[in-house]
Every structure is written in structure tokens, then in C-alpha cells.
Amino acid sequence: IVKEFTFHSFRESIAFIKKVAELAEKVNHHPNIIINYNIVRLSLTTHSESTLTEKDFSLAKEIDKL
């Protein structure tokens, strides 16, 4: 699962990433993150399964709520 989020500033991008990090730590499932100033690209996959799992879809839904 890959999604890009666009913000008004780098500071807003980092604030978003901090929220994502808190969610990820809570469920022990961590996205790949690319930050390009005001654009944040997240990708989710379950590396241990080499595929998408319910963990990915669940975390994606929580991230979308942010």
C-alpha cells in the first residue's frame, strides 16, 4: 500500500510523521517513509510475510484518520 500526503510546509510533514510513528509503535508495525520537504510518501507491507496482511490495512486506516 503506497500513499502520498502533501502538506504546506516541512514542519507540517514532520508533525505528521511523528503521529504516524506513534501509531506504528503502538501496533509494532512500521511503514517505509520518504520525506521530500512537504510531501510524505508512506508504503506498507508485511516484510516477514512478503505480502500485504491485515496489519497493513489496519495501520493504513488509522493513518488516514490523521
Side-chain angles (χ1 to χ4, degrees), residues 13-29:
S13 296
I14 296 303
F16 173 72
I17 291 303
K18 287 181 179 180
K19 292 176 184 176
V20 170
E22 290 297 321
L23 285 174
E25 283 295 304
K26 188 182 290 186
V27 297
N28 194 30
H29 191 61

Side-chain angles (χ1 to χ4, degrees), residues 44-57:
L44 288 164
T45 189
T46 303
H47 299 287
S48 62
E49 302 290 328
S50 299
T51 190
L52 294 174
T53 66
E54 183 55 39
K55 287 182 179 182
D56 303 302
F57 294 105

Side-chain angles (χ1 to χ4, degrees), residues 7-19 35 37-40:
F7 300 94
H8 289 93
S9 67
F10 180 72
R11 185 179 300 254
E12 286 182 14
S13 296
I14 296 303
F16 173 72
I17 291 303
K18 287 181 179 180
K19 292 176 184 176
I35 304 168
Y37 182 64
N38 69 326
I39 299 170
V40 174

Side-chain angles (χ1 to χ4, degrees), residues 52-65:
L52 294 174
T53 66
E54 183 55 39
K55 287 182 179 182
D56 303 302
F57 294 105
S58 178
L59 183 55
K61 286 178 188 176
E62 292 302 312
I63 290 169
D64 276 343
K65 292 178 185 177

